[in-house]
Amino acid sequence: AQRVTQPEKLLSVFKGAPVELKCNYSYSGSPELFWYVQYSRQRLQLLLRHISRESIKGFTADLNKGETSFHLKKPFAQEEDSAMYYCALRNTDKLIFGTGTRLQVFP
Amino acid sequence: NAGVTQTPKFRVLKTGQSMTLLCAQDMNHEYMYWYRQDPGMGLRLIHYSVGEGTTAKGEVPDGYNVSRLKKQNFLLGLESAAPSQTSVYFCASSYSPGDEQYFGPGTRLTVT
């Protein structure tokens, strides 16, 4: 069955520390994966997608088909990165979201 | 452009009452989605639509109905509200399934 797993509910780091938000997926076929972010009192919005291979706000994510992972990384966390992060997998006409990881960046 | 709007923003219902949540988008998107967001559960898809006049069930459709009579609107109905439907409801739309989904601001529903 298609599934997205985000094993960490909460990740706390200090400003300037590296960040890795884990995402593993289960999918038969060629996956399309996304990271969405929800900042406090803002709408959920797309952060990045694996197809575009972009770096957004210093974040990158590499699709690893062997490990079925799409971890989100940033070398130096900033306080404004504090938010809820969701990994999502496209399944035909819809997305399957993970349960989310709350990132807290302390000063 | 307003993007995706949701009405109402907040609502309190008593068990057994009914209500309709309205989602509207002005981006001419074909695809529209209704999600619920619960602590520890993430976003779960309730129903979705791939175009005007179409609807399909998502992961948690029980207790909800939807209609897409106009391309720009997607309505979510609760016929007989239950406390288990207390949640934050999000609507989203996209041009195609692989494109970015644009989300509304959410509706916070409490059923007592």
Side-chain angles (χ1 to χ4, degrees), chain B residues 1 18 22-23 25 33 40 44 61 65-66 68-69 74 77 79 83 92 96:
Chain B
N1 288 349
S18 64
L22 170 64
C23 176
Q25 53 95 3
Y33 307 86
R44 292 182 293 169
N65 57 75
V66 288
R68 182 101 181 267
L69 298 179
F74 194 29
E79 291 187 348
S96 75

Side-chain angles (χ1 to χ4, degrees), chain A residues 3-6 34-36 44 86-89 94-100, chain B residues 35 41-45 59 101 103:
Chain A
R3 183 180 298 172
V4 175
T5 303
Q6 294 181 252
F34 307 80
W35 277 99
Y36 279 80
L44 202 68
Y86 291 98
C87 182
L89 167 70
K94 53 194 181 292
L95 294 180
I96 301 169
F97 284 85
T99 51
Chain B
Y35 297 93
M41 305 291 286
L43 282 166
R44 292 182 293 169
L45 183 65
E59 181 187 357
Q101 287 193 13
F103 282 80

Side-chain angles (χ1 to χ4, degrees), chain B residues 16-36:
Chain B
Q17 287 185 320
S18 64
M19 78 164 293
T20 300
L21 282 69
L22 170 64
C23 176
Q25 53 95 3
D26 60 3
M27 295 173 282
N28 202 34
H29 286 164
E30 292 290 340
Y31 292 77
M32 296 188 75
Y33 307 86
W34 275 109
Y35 297 93
R36 58 178 292 172

Side-chain angles (χ1 to χ4, degrees), chain B residues 50-61:
Chain B
V50 303
E52 181 179 315
T54 74
T55 63
K57 293 181 180 180
E59 181 187 357
V60 288

Side-chain angles (χ1 to χ4, degrees), chain A residues 18-47:
Chain A
V19 169
E20 182 178 67
L21 297 158
K22 291 183 167 52
C23 172
N24 289 91
Y25 66 90
S26 173
Y27 188 72
S28 55
S30 187
E32 290 183 44
L33 286 145
F34 307 80
W35 277 99
Y36 279 80
V37 61
Q38 188 175 27
Y39 300 103
S40 179
R41 288 185 290 278
Q42 292 189 29
R43 303 183 185 206
L44 202 68
Q45 58 188 280
L46 177 68
L47 181 62

